[in-house]
Amino acid sequence: MKSSLAVLGALAAIGLSACASDPSESTASGDLSVAASDSKCEVSATKLKAGPSTFKVSNKGSKVTEFYVYADGDRIMGEVENIGPGLTRNLVVDLPKGTYEGACKPGMIGDGIRQTLTVTGGAAKKLSDSQELQAAADSYARYVKSQSDTLIVKTTEFVDAVKAGDVDKAKKLYPIARTYWERIEPVAEKFGDLDPITDGREPDAKAEGVDFTGWHRIEKQLWVEDNTEGMDKYADQLLANVKKIVQLGQDTPLTALELAQGSKGLLDEVATGKITGEEDEFSHTDLWDFKANIEGSQAAIASLRPVLEKQDPALVKKIDAQFAALDKELNQHQDKTTGDWMFYDELTKDQVKALSNAVAGLSEPISQVAAVVAKSA
Amino acid sequence: MTAQDRSASGLSRRKLLGAAGVGALAVGAGGGYAVGQAAGEPATPAGVADPHAAPVPFEGAHQAGIVTPAQDRLYFATFDMTSDEREDLISLLKDWTAAARQMTQGNDVGDFGAVSGSPYAPPEDTGEALGLPPSGLTVTVGFGRSLFVDDKGRARFGLDGQLPERLQDLPSFAGDRLDPAISDGDIAVQACANDPQVAVHAVRNFARIAFGRASVRYSQMGFGRTSSTSTAQVTARNLFGFKDGTANVKVEDTKDVDDFVWVHEDEGPAWLVGGSYLVSRKIDMRIETWDREPLEGQEAIIGRTKGSGGPRSGGDEFVPLDFDAKDETGKPMIDMKSHVRLAHPDVNKGAKLLRRGYNFVDGSNGLGQLSAGLFFIAYQRDPEKQFVQIQRSLAGLQNDLLNEYIVHVGSGLFACPPGVDTKGYWGEKLFA
């Protein structure tokens, strides 16, 4: 999960190119059509605005064709190949200001039938320039704030119980404190050195040759040894690190794109860690985490909702339906009076599979969110 | 990553190809692909097109992948619907049909495919078939009984009255050790290709397209086709080392195909006319025990010679079996309980099957024994009169001598709709 956020951080830093804002230019952007035949290659506009353009290439000829966008020296900016007769394939190319050539290659050979494409427009707009996206990020920042306040309270209670040697109380508080943690996990994952010492797993610590610390160290002691011996140090460290993460998270809130990616990352967490019962291997309290990840993902989507509604209402409908389906599946496993969840090792194989199906069903539409957010810059 | 970075990484389908592949891709063009390039095209270093790389037409009266000469590789999967909505079933079948239409012709799935879409979205196509020719890929779907009715017999997806009478649960056969986890399913998908990567790519993309609507129940990889479905093919061998499929229904015998494969007009339901029934059986083979059996014993069990595949009653591979032939002691040369005799149309009221089985090896079982066998697939017009009839003759230790060495562990029966035209989708008449 960490790696994808790192990549996205880099992407966000580059900034997304978007349409130039000068309305006086009679240039095209967005969707362009390319009519390719055996002897022609007609692009619907040859003057384009800087930023991403989608070329819709229709092969009206009798040979397989392909379409290229070349910069100087035939440097390939983008290409789509193997377009059979009668087929249409699309190509997204992000073009900075400059002169390019579009080329159809009927039969997929030779230099192709070329025409010049002139791209004009100022510097690319950045994602952060969008007020809508900023509003989404702000909204999520408020969510993080509310969750992290409670996270500190609940972690403190847990740590106190551990230090008081109250095993039963600590066991009860463990999944509850983690709920707040799991809801805002994308925030924690931004801090590459803090995340592993707080939420790392024993085999990973072993492999790295470092001390096994954090939530799961204490979990192991509580459930395997049924005591809190030697845990004071880990408990203090856990609380200190949680506080540190909360502070850092509030100082550097997630961007809208990170948020979109985070909503997917939370589901990936569920699909790899919780659905397999790997994460809370000693306590089997995975469903608490599971639910919290889903809630966190839902909160991220809720923040992005105005942007998504505008750009892709069909996607929002799909996401809503899949969230509902997952909730329905998951909620069967909660005790309605105590609010406690089933322990992972009490679930049948079929129940786990049903949950896994529901997570996969939701993850697919959510994986589209980042691209929709990027478009709205 | 910028557009420049992407193109610099050079994921170009065509450039990944060797000379033979270029020819094959030209072949994959859809129209006019008989061999190599269309007339008038400048020469390219294409070389000779490899027939195993060529595409199989997707559209037609019947689904491809049934009488299509059997390709070398199989990836088979069954799916269960995770949605109860009729609209989800319809959209899934439409999406799958569109994807199969693209993949069988050697194209990526979706509008943007594997590498030409937005850098912020996951690619529409998973990409592992980039650079590979169509490889004879066929994708064939069939519908299980459970798609039509739930376990209480209530209609699902509003498919009231559409359940074919012949789509019954298969009866229990003596010796079966069926595992429900590798049996049945709402929808079966058979992907056959001459390149395993292409077959896996097809099923993987299907699974991905299905998320939220259906999920994979089980999947099975197969290699080394164990049946010939065309006279143009040599007979392949199964993992017992015997030629398998010598007497199979062949596509060239149009009367047999018509009599034994396709569902006829008056047999309905209407949506299934021109379709067929698929029986799948996962058959574990006790390889190590078999390998300790003397050659004479192996041949007696099968009823054919191991080398040529000819009948024990004499002659080469394609000589008819002579069940009356006796040896000098008066014993039938083809044992009364041999596999070929009990499977033969003469003892099964004339029943024949179009078989399309594949060998499989799922690694070893921890005792050092191969987890291997035959993934049996057979197409037919009437499962009761064909597969069930024949399997009843074979099943049980009192019958086919081969049963000491094999055990059926997975099973399925599916009704495969007819083919689609250029705009249609699989099973569309179900929803008319």
Side-chain angles (χ1 to χ4, degrees):
Chain A
M1 306 314 100
K2 279 174 286 281
S3 58
S4 66
L5 277 172
V7 169
L8 269 160
L11 283 171
I14 291 166
L16 289 172
S17 310
C19 331
S21 48
D22 187 349
S24 67
E25 289 183 273
S26 61
T27 49
S29 65
D31 287 356
L32 299 154
S33 59
V34 181
S37 68
D38 295 349
S39 57
K40 278 190 182 148
C41 184
E42 291 165 4
V43 184
S44 61
T46 54
K47 288 188 194 307
L48 318 177
K49 288 179 183 174
S53 291
T54 303
F55 292 87
K56 243 178 125 113
V57 187
S58 301
N59 184 1
K60 305 189 190 309
S62 64
K63 299 173 188 170
V64 194
T65 194
E66 56 193 0
F67 179 76
Y68 283 79
V69 177
Y70 290 112
D72 280 350
D74 278 3
R75 188 160 53 91
I76 298 168
M77 301 299 289
E79 60 182 312
V80 53
E81 299 186 319
N82 201 30
I83 310 165
L87 290 182
T88 298
R89 297 302 302 269
N90 297 349
L91 169 69
V92 177
V93 199
D94 193 355
L95 296 172
K97 188 175 164 183
T99 305
Y100 303 88
E101 281 185 319
C104 301
K105 294 190 188 176
M108 309 215 295
I109 44 159
D111 287 340
I113 307 159
R114 298 194 177 203
Q115 59 182 291
T116 304
L117 304 172
T118 313
V119 177
T120 55
K125 241 172 138 182
K126 291 197 171 51
L127 261 180
S128 53
D129 295 346
S130 158
Q131 286 192 358
E132 270 178 327
L133 294 183
Q134 193 50 51
D138 291 347
S139 154
Y140 187 70
R142 285 193 292 278
Y143 175 76
V144 170
K145 175 85 174 64
S146 73
Q147 294 302 309
S148 47
D149 289 351
T150 318
L151 170 63
I152 291 174
V153 173
K154 293 293 169 191
T155 308
T156 307
E157 286 175 17
F158 172 66
V159 161
D160 288 348
V162 170
K163 291 178 73 175
D166 191 339
V167 173
D168 287 346
K169 194 172 175 194
K171 280 184 177 175
K172 262 199 126 45
L173 288 170
Y174 171 80
I176 293 167
R178 279 185 61 80
T179 295
Y180 298 91
W181 167 264
E182 292 284 338
R183 281 187 188 145
I184 56 167
E185 212 171 358
V187 175
E189 286 182 338
K190 267 180 80 169
F191 311 109
D193 47 343
L194 282 171
D195 187 39
I197 59 173
T198 317
D199 203 22
R201 307 276 317 284
E202 188 172 21
D204 298 331
K206 245 186 201 156
E208 298 285 327
V210 296
D211 193 17
F212 174 38
T213 59
W215 292 108
H216 299 298
R217 175 67 191 92
I218 304 172
E219 178 201 4
K220 185 180 179 187
Q221 192 71 22
L222 288 172
W223 270 274
V224 177
E225 306 297 337
D226 210 23
N227 62 40
T228 59
E229 278 164 35
M231 288 298 107
D232 282 15
K233 163 178 104 161
Y234 295 115
D236 287 338
Q237 195 189 8
L238 174 68
L239 184 59
N241 286 331
V242 165
K243 284 181 174 165
K244 219 185 277 179
I245 286 171
V246 162
Q247 191 53 50
L248 282 166
Q250 288 175 2
D251 291 349
T252 50
L254 296 181
T255 67
L257 198 57
E258 284 174 325
L259 185 51
Q261 205 59 18
S263 65
K264 182 180 98 60
L266 282 163
L267 296 180
D268 292 343
E269 284 280 326
V270 173
T272 54
K274 279 77 182 184
I275 208 72
T276 52
E278 275 172 38
E279 174 105 21
D280 294 302
E281 60 178 322
F282 311 110
S283 64
H284 306 299
T285 54
D286 299 270
L287 287 197
W288 274 264
D289 293 22
F290 189 129
K291 177 69 176 178
N293 280 161
I294 301 304
E295 286 169 339
S297 181
Q298 211 155 5
I301 295 296
S303 300
L304 293 165
R305 198 174 184 94
V307 178
L308 298 177
E309 283 281 11
K310 198 163 118 190
Q311 294 284 344
D312 195 343
L315 181 66
V316 176
K317 256 181 95 178
K318 235 186 245 172
I319 290 173
D320 285 349
Q322 296 293 344
F323 264 123
L326 176 55
D327 272 344
K328 199 176 143 199
E329 203 58 56
L330 186 58
N331 289 343
Q332 303 172 43
H333 308 306
Q334 187 178 32
D335 185 319
K336 297 292 171 289
T337 46
T338 62
D340 287 347
W341 294 88
M342 291 264 280
F343 291 98
Y344 182 81
D345 53 351
E346 294 170 350
L347 295 171
T348 67
K349 232 176 150 180
D350 282 349
Q351 288 171 331
V352 172
K353 178 147 194 223
L355 286 170
S356 170
N357 286 341
V359 171
L362 176 59
S363 297
E364 270 304 303
I366 286 202
S367 71
Q368 306 296 329
V369 167
V372 175
V373 166
K375 254 201 324 210
S376 73
Chain B
M1 194 164 59
T2 65
Q4 291 96 309
D5 293 333
R6 282 199 307 284
S7 53
S9 72
L11 251 185
S12 151
R13 178 170 186 148
R14 190 162 62 93
K15 288 181 202 80
L16 292 169
L17 295 179
V22 174
L25 260 192
V27 167
Y33 52 69
V35 168
Q37 292 109 356
E41 278 185 3
T44 69
V48 179
D50 173 1
H52 286 101
V56 173
F58 180 72
E59 282 95 10
H62 310 291
Q63 284 194 68
I66 299 177
V67 298
T68 306
Q71 301 91 324
D72 286 337
R73 307 295 179 129
L74 165 79
Y75 199 55
F76 185 91
T78 75
F79 290 77
D80 289 321
M81 291 297 295
T82 52
S83 161
D84 295 323
E85 301 297 323
R86 181 181 170 96
E87 284 315 308
D88 283 340
L89 175 59
I90 294 172
S91 68
L92 177 65
L93 291 169
K94 282 182 178 168
D95 292 350
W96 271 358
T97 306
R101 191 176 266 131
Q102 291 175 309
M103 289 189 286
T104 55
Q105 304 311 305
N107 294 307
D108 293 8
V109 171
D111 292 333
F112 295 93
V115 291
S116 62
S118 163
Y120 298 98
E124 288 174 309
D125 183 287
T126 53
E128 73 272 30
L130 275 172
L132 298 176
S135 308
L137 174 70
T138 55
V139 186
T140 314
V141 302
F143 304 137
R145 184 179 170 85
S146 59
L147 187 72
F148 299 88
V149 287
D150 65 16
D151 44 17
K152 296 197 173 65
R154 291 174 303 212
R156 299 182 73 195
F157 306 103
L159 294 175
D160 307 66
Q162 301 285 19
L163 175 69
E165 208 175 301
R166 290 175 183 174
L167 191 59
Q168 301 291 338
D169 290 327
L170 292 176
S172 302
F173 297 105
D176 278 3
R177 296 282 178 274
L178 302 181
D179 176 357
I182 52 170
S183 297
D184 304 320
D186 291 344
I187 308 179
V189 174
Q190 171 201 278
C192 296
N194 293 312
D195 181 333
Q197 182 111 344
V198 170
V200 168
H201 172 255
V203 173
R204 175 175 164 195
N205 279 277
F206 265 40
R208 192 173 164 200
I209 289 167
F211 282 136
R213 293 179 284 190
S215 78
V216 173
R217 174 180 282 223
Y218 74 91
S219 65
Q220 179 69 51
M221 182 119 213
F223 66 94
R225 63 178 171 82
T226 58
S227 312
S228 301
T229 55
S230 165
T231 53
Q233 296 179 305
V234 296
T235 311
R237 289 180 190 270
N238 59 33
L239 291 179
F240 283 159
F242 276 77
K243 290 192 173 186
D244 205 335
T246 295
N248 202 12
V249 171
K250 303 283 202 301
V251 58
E252 290 81 4
D253 191 342
T254 50
K255 185 170 183 319
D256 265 3
V257 169
D258 192 53
D259 287 349
F260 294 109
V261 181
W262 307 125
V263 174
H264 287 209
E265 194 82 50
D266 52 346
E267 296 167 341
W271 67 266
L272 189 57
V273 173
S276 189
Y277 290 92
L278 182 171
V279 168
S280 64
R281 304 283 286 185
K282 182 168 181 174
I283 305 171
D284 279 354
M285 288 176 164
R286 292 167 180 151
I287 301 282
E288 290 76 10
T289 322
W290 175 263
D291 289 347
R292 284 190 282 268
E293 179 66 28
L295 179 61
E296 191 185 24
Q298 292 184 357
E299 292 185 338
I301 289 164
I302 300 294
R304 288 183 179 274
T305 60
K306 199 167 186 175
S308 71
R312 292 259 286 168
S313 51
D316 69 16
E317 184 189 347
F318 293 101
V319 165
L321 304 156
D322 179 358
F323 291 129
D324 297 330
K326 306 257 189 322
D327 65 13
E328 60 277 12
T329 67
K331 261 179 42 190
M333 293 178 80
I334 299 177
D335 196 285
M336 296 307 286
K337 292 184 175 183
S338 65
H339 186 70
V340 284
R341 185 189 288 263
L342 294 176
H344 197 271
D346 287 0
V347 301
N348 289 296
K349 303 178 187 162
K352 292 186 188 179
L353 293 165
L354 177 93
R355 281 172 293 149
R356 254 188 162 268
Y358 288 84
N359 298 321
F360 71 84
V361 173
D362 296 341
S364 302
N365 67 0
L367 301 173
Q369 300 167 333
L370 282 183
S371 292
L374 180 81
F375 196 79
F376 171 97
I377 293 176
Y379 287 92
Q380 58 228 286
R381 177 179 164 191
D382 185 338
E384 177 67 29
K385 286 190 181 147
Q386 294 172 262
F387 176 77
V388 173
Q389 165 68 43
I390 295 168
Q391 189 56 24
R392 279 209 171 105
S393 303
L394 293 170
L397 282 174
Q398 300 311 309
N399 295 317
D400 186 1
L401 294 169
L402 195 58
N403 289 332
E404 201 178 324
Y405 302 90
I406 61 174
V407 55
H408 289 233
V409 294
S411 178
L413 173 62
F414 303 91
C416 304
V420 296
D421 60 23
T422 51
K423 290 195 172 59
Y425 66 94
W426 283 316
E428 60 181 313
K429 285 195 184 137
L430 269 174
F431 309 99

